[in-house]
Amino acid sequence: MNQENQLQNRMTVIDKEVTWDKTQVIMSKTNAFGIIEYANEVFVDVSGYEDYELMGQPHNIIRHPDMPKVIFKVLWENLKQGKNFHAIVKNLAKSGRYYWVITDFEIAKDGNGVIVNYFGRRQAVPQEVISLYIEPLYKKLLQIEAASGVEFSEKYLIGFLEEKKRSYVEYIKELIYEHEKAQSKFAQYEEREEEEEEGGFFRRLFKR
Ligand SMILES: Cc1cc2nc3c(=O)[nH]c(=O)nc-3n(C[C@H](O)[C@H](O)[C@H](O)COP(=O)(O)O)c2cc1C
């Protein structure tokens, strides 16, 4: 993020959620360096930026200061290896309001296997998952980063996940799955195996 964006973002943060249609999918496409080349209408609506303000900008234009650095570190480690990654992210709209999403990526490579584009899809996350599990964890990671740096927030995250015997993606999958099950949102939960395969779970979530 360039200095100007960061300064602007810090000045405009408002502790209010963006009102948006949470059945929609927010999409964007970037080059290999995370520079925005396309944003769908939902992205434009939810972020509050015009598309001409987004094109050519680094994706951290919507980075929220409440997001711990370690989450993006792990996200980029996966993306650069050509691996999809599901992260729960708090984003910052132009208005200063926030919106929480879960990510899904597709990675496009050229004939030589070099990454040329990333396609990001984002869905809403149940509020309960955010307030009961993600906010407390991210707050802790942010505090550790402020005190000791990202090296130690990463160590904490590894320890936290080791205790749960889950990877980060497995952990958030389980949080959302358990929430859906408790809500009995889908009748088929009765018949579905408790341990739904990870890929299948996220394909269903992103309806693809
Ligand atoms: C396709 C794609 C979509 C992304 N979507 C988001 C997003 O919704 N919110 C976000 O903060 N970062 C997103 N990122 C990550 C940003 O590029 C960036 O790493 C992040 O905002 C943290 O900023 P920093 O790397 O400057 O610390 C995305 C990256 C890619 C490649």
Side-chain angles (χ1 to χ4, degrees), residues 71-108:
I71 302 299
F72 296 118
K73 180 173 184 282
V74 181
L75 183 142
W76 273 105
E77 280 167 3
N78 279 272
L79 292 186
K80 284 182 182 169
Q81 289 177 45
K83 293 186 195 156
N84 189 5
F85 192 68
H86 306 290
I88 294 183
V89 178
K90 185 177 190 177
N91 276 334
L92 183 67
K94 190 180 180 183
S95 63
R97 291 184 179 222
Y98 66 83
Y99 57 102
W100 284 95
V101 291
I102 178 166
T103 64
D104 180 51
F105 294 93
E106 264 175 68
I107 297 149

Side-chain angles (χ1 to χ4, degrees), residues 1 6 28-35 43 58-64 67 69 72 75-76 79 89-92 99 101 103 105-106 118-122:
M1 178 180 281
Q6 208 142 33
S28 59
K29 176 185 172 186
T30 73
N31 66 9
F33 309 102
I35 302 295
F43 192 123
H59 219 302
N60 64 14
I61 189 170
I62 53 164
R63 188 202 199 291
H64 199 288
M67 277 302 294
K69 285 194 179 72
F72 296 118
L75 183 142
W76 273 105
L79 292 186
V89 178
K90 185 177 190 177
N91 276 334
L92 183 67
Y99 57 102
V101 291
T103 64
F105 294 93
E106 264 175 68
Y118 297 108
F119 297 86
R121 298 154 61 86
R122 297 162 210 81

Side-chain angles (χ1 to χ4, degrees), residues 114-164:
V114 176
I115 295 173
V116 281
N117 290 114
Y118 297 108
F119 297 86
R121 298 154 61 86
R122 297 162 210 81
Q123 286 258 11
V125 188
Q127 183 49 48
E128 212 176 86
V129 170
I130 300 295
S131 40
L132 292 182
Y133 302 99
I134 299 299
E135 262 179 338
L137 173 63
Y138 284 9
K139 200 173 165 191
K140 179 85 73 190
L141 294 171
L142 209 61
Q143 282 170 335
I144 296 169
E145 281 172 16
S148 316
V150 68
E151 187 193 334
F152 285 91
S153 65
E154 187 166 22
K155 288 191 196 301
Y156 179 89
L157 182 61
I158 291 168
F160 176 90
L161 294 167
E162 274 171 356
E163 189 195 346
K164 304 222 164 342

Side-chain angles (χ1 to χ4, degrees), residues 43-54:
F43 192 123
V44 168
D45 283 351
V46 179
S47 72
Y49 287 99
E50 300 294 338
D51 33 21
Y52 65 81
E53 294 178 291
L54 293 168

